[in-house]
Amino acid sequence: MPLIQQLAATIAEAMKARDQARLSALRMLKAALMNKEVEMGRPLTDAEDLQVVGSLVKQRKDSIDQFAKAGRHELVAKETAELAIIETYLPPALGAEDLERIVAEVIAETGATSPKDMGKVMKGVMAKVAGEQVDGKAVNELVKKRLAGPS
């Protein structure tokens, strides 16, 4: 079943339960998916659905950081609650061991030896983890660490 249909059913459940916080987050997610569909001019593929969900998760994480720095704890709590709801629509995250293995493989394949090769390695790693739930910042840090130190 397409994600938008799943959301419609979940929104109905949240309405019956009078769960306003959940309802708000689900409606926002559905609106983002529908906006992307209109932009593309066709129904979204599963991968595109996950891309939209992933971008909303990233936005929430960035907002949480900004609100925490500004001391806006009520907004941090709201964004954290929304984040938890949105993340349920993402596949499980790629494990640290798997990510390290992929980075090591790409470094070996590209023959990267120094931080100058960072772009090549990042491109290869991101291509291999496409469709997976991965934090780009974590990948970047891991690649930096592997290229800076002894392999």
Side-chain angles (χ1 to χ4, degrees):
M1 173 182 341
L3 185 55
I4 286 190
Q5 289 177 351
Q6 288 177 352
L7 282 171
T10 311
I11 287 171
E13 291 170 12
M15 288 172 82
K16 288 178 187 172
R18 298 189 188 279
D19 186 349
Q20 290 302 316
R22 189 162 187 244
L23 183 60
S24 171
L26 292 171
R27 282 181 171 160
M28 179 264 317
L29 177 56
K30 184 177 178 191
L33 289 166
M34 291 175 72
N35 286 340
K36 187 68 173 181
E37 264 189 7
V38 168
E39 179 185 316
M40 302 289 277
R42 60 175 170 72
L44 300 177
T45 64
D46 290 342
E48 290 167 336
D49 281 343
L50 291 178
Q51 220 174 20
V52 171
V53 176
S55 70
L56 290 175
V57 165
K58 185 176 184 322
Q59 286 174 359
R60 293 295 162 290
K61 287 180 179 179
D62 291 344
S63 295
I64 289 168
D65 287 344
Q66 294 300 316
F67 290 143
K69 287 177 186 171
R72 301 291 308 267
H73 302 293
E74 72 284 358
L75 293 174
V76 169
K78 178 183 177 286
E79 294 288 323
T80 303
E82 285 183 1
L83 178 63
I85 292 166
I86 296 169
E87 283 182 328
T88 62
Y89 292 93
L90 287 174
L94 192 63
E97 304 83 36
D98 293 332
L99 189 56
E100 287 184 28
R101 179 185 47 77
I102 291 170
V103 168
E105 285 174 9
V106 172
I107 288 173
E109 288 170 8
T110 59
T113 56
S114 72
K116 292 179 186 176
D117 300 318
M118 180 106 178
K120 252 194 312 193
V121 175
M122 282 297 294
K123 184 177 178 184
V125 170
M126 294 313 280
K128 283 194 175 205
V129 297
E132 297 285 342
Q133 172 64 18
V134 178
D135 180 17
K137 245 187 228 180
V139 173
N140 189 304
E141 291 299 317
L142 184 58
V143 170
K144 253 187 214 171
K145 188 175 97 182
R146 295 293 297 264
L147 288 177
S151 297

